[in-house]
Amino acid sequence: MPAERRVLAALGPKVLRLAAERAAGAHPYLTTPEHTRRARETLGPGPLLAPEQKVVVDGDPRRARALGREGIAYYLGLGNYVANLKRLGFTDADVTGEGSDALVDGLVAHGKPAAVAARLTAHLDAGADHVAVQVLTGSGGDPRPALRAIAEAAAPTPPR
């Protein structure tokens, strides 16, 4: 596969540098806008940067965090993800068990559509070229209503 046609799933600084040198860019998973900022610094201005962002469109923080915890639970058992989260400033207490509220809030954009759209914009402002949105719905729910609501909230207001 030619380098210009591959993107690496890159989290840490070494693999991000590898993505800059030997691929078209990076697709970090389970990250924050701060990670996106750091990744852009490591990659430089040319390579594609397309982080993933988990989202829950729900104005109730307890329900949203419950879905968020389901979405991140697996990764809290994987050393590479935990190491990356610690590089971002999360503590052992944050990444233990089902994860702290601060961890869930950092990794899962939740709330009303405008709040979720603002988090996606934060990745773009931090240097992302594209944000891969993963809607967490629980029990195989349809993500399309949430995606439509986020798109509507993110759409620029037409001039009058």
Side-chain angles (χ1 to χ4, degrees):
M1 176 71 61
E4 64 274 3
R5 294 190 58 205
R6 69 177 166 242
V7 174
L8 300 183
L11 280 177
K14 290 179 184 177
V15 182
L16 285 165
R17 282 192 296 277
L18 183 66
E21 295 166 4
R22 299 175 121 186
H27 175 51
Y29 187 83
L30 196 70
T31 65
T32 64
E34 174 58 20
H35 182 275
T36 298
R37 184 191 65 73
R38 293 179 190 183
R40 176 50 70 202
E41 286 177 0
T42 301
L43 289 170
L48 175 76
L49 178 55
E52 173 268 354
Q53 176 66 66
K54 291 176 183 6
V55 305
V56 176
V57 176
D58 189 329
D60 182 311
R62 278 189 303 176
R63 281 193 312 255
R65 285 186 183 120
L67 281 173
R69 282 190 168 90
E70 288 177 24
I72 68 170
Y74 173 77
Y75 303 98
L76 296 181
L78 300 177
N80 62 320
Y81 285 100
V82 171
N84 189 60
L85 295 170
K86 288 181 179 181
R87 275 192 298 270
L88 291 170
F90 292 105
T91 65
D92 286 333
D94 289 319
V95 299
T96 300
E98 60 183 16
S100 69
D101 284 353
L103 179 71
V104 175
D105 294 348
L107 295 176
V108 181
H110 61 84
K112 295 184 179 184
V116 172
R119 174 73 70 84
L120 301 175
T121 300
H123 280 283
L124 297 171
D125 291 344
D129 298 296
H130 173 83
V131 182
V133 179
Q134 181 181 8
V135 178
L136 304 176
T137 60
S139 302
D142 185 356
R144 291 175 295 182
L147 290 168
R148 285 185 192 104
I150 295 164
E152 185 175 299
T157 306
R160 293 183 181 236

